[in-house]
Amino acid sequence: MNFERTSVNSFTGRITLGTQVGYSDDVISENELINFIQEYQDMLIQEKNLFLSVCLSECKIILSGQVEPHLQLNFINYPKFSLRAEILREEIEAFAKALMERFSQNRIVVEFPEETVMLEQSKEIDPRINTKGIN
């Protein structure tokens, strides 16, 4: 069997999205998120001829009284649709902002190998986090 090997410069990015709408008890369904991801991908393909592949997985963020289900969206420089690192960074951050708007997130974290970025709309903290003694 013959295989063609394709290699590109490595790049990774990750968005961690809380599954609660704002600080409410309303939950973002995985299907709702998948539909949004696919709509956003379709827009990128049509408007920029840009293919942004997403790997979706579940996790929990635990912080002093808070245990909140989250979904992680992982990105790589997929060799079939390779992009420059700067473009990937810009598009992933733009996507994070779109997720914040669509799912009423106050803050979201985007991780890159050399930098962790927090996008924040207000200084408000989830009331479930025990902040006693913190100034």
Side-chain angles (χ1 to χ4, degrees), residues 1-2 7 9 20 28-29 31 42 55 57 59-61 82 87 113 128 133:
M1 201 178 259
N2 291 329
S7 174
N9 288 334
Q20 293 175 262
I28 301 164
S29 77
N31 285 338
D42 290 344
C55 176
S57 56
C59 68
K60 289 185 174 114
I61 300 293
S82 166
I87 293 172
R128 289 170 284 231

Side-chain angles (χ1 to χ4, degrees), residues 82-123:
S82 166
L83 294 165
R84 290 190 334 270
E86 309 83 55
I87 293 172
L88 282 164
R89 286 180 58 87
E90 288 173 14
E91 294 300 337
I92 291 169
E93 279 196 43
F95 185 48
K97 291 173 185 174
L99 287 165
M100 288 178 77
E101 284 186 33
R102 172 62 181 84
F103 296 110
S104 302
Q105 299 295 295
N106 183 41
R107 81 183 46 81
I108 201 165
V109 173
V110 184
E111 297 172 77
F112 299 111
E114 72 288 346
E115 179 181 34
T116 300
V117 176
M118 180 179 70
L119 302 171
E120 183 175 54
Q121 295 191 60
S122 80
K123 299 293 182 195

Side-chain angles (χ1 to χ4, degrees), residues 26-38:
D26 296 333
V27 176
I28 301 164
S29 77
E30 187 174 305
N31 285 338
E32 188 177 10
L33 177 59
I34 289 170
N35 288 337
F36 181 77
I37 291 169
Q38 290 177 325

Side-chain angles (χ1 to χ4, degrees), residues 37-90:
I37 291 169
Q38 290 177 325
E39 289 169 9
Y40 196 90
Q41 288 170 325
D42 290 344
M43 179 273 300
L44 285 177
I45 292 166
Q46 289 177 351
E47 294 181 10
K48 299 182 179 184
N49 195 34
L50 190 143
F51 294 79
L52 191 61
S53 177
V54 177
C55 176
L56 181 64
S57 56
E58 295 179 23
C59 68
K60 289 185 174 114
I61 300 293
I62 301 162
L63 181 60
S64 185
Q66 174 201 41
V67 179
E68 184 182 354
H70 278 66
L71 294 166
Q72 287 189 330
L73 293 79
N74 292 287
F75 305 85
I76 63 169
N77 192 8
Y78 186 53
K80 190 69 173 175
F81 304 108
S82 166
L83 294 165
R84 290 190 334 270
E86 309 83 55
I87 293 172
L88 282 164
R89 286 180 58 87
E90 288 173 14

Side-chain angles (χ1 to χ4, degrees), residues 6-19:
T6 303
S7 174
V8 297
N9 288 334
S10 186
F11 178 91
T12 58
R14 177 173 45 219
I15 296 172
T16 304
L17 173 73
T19 59

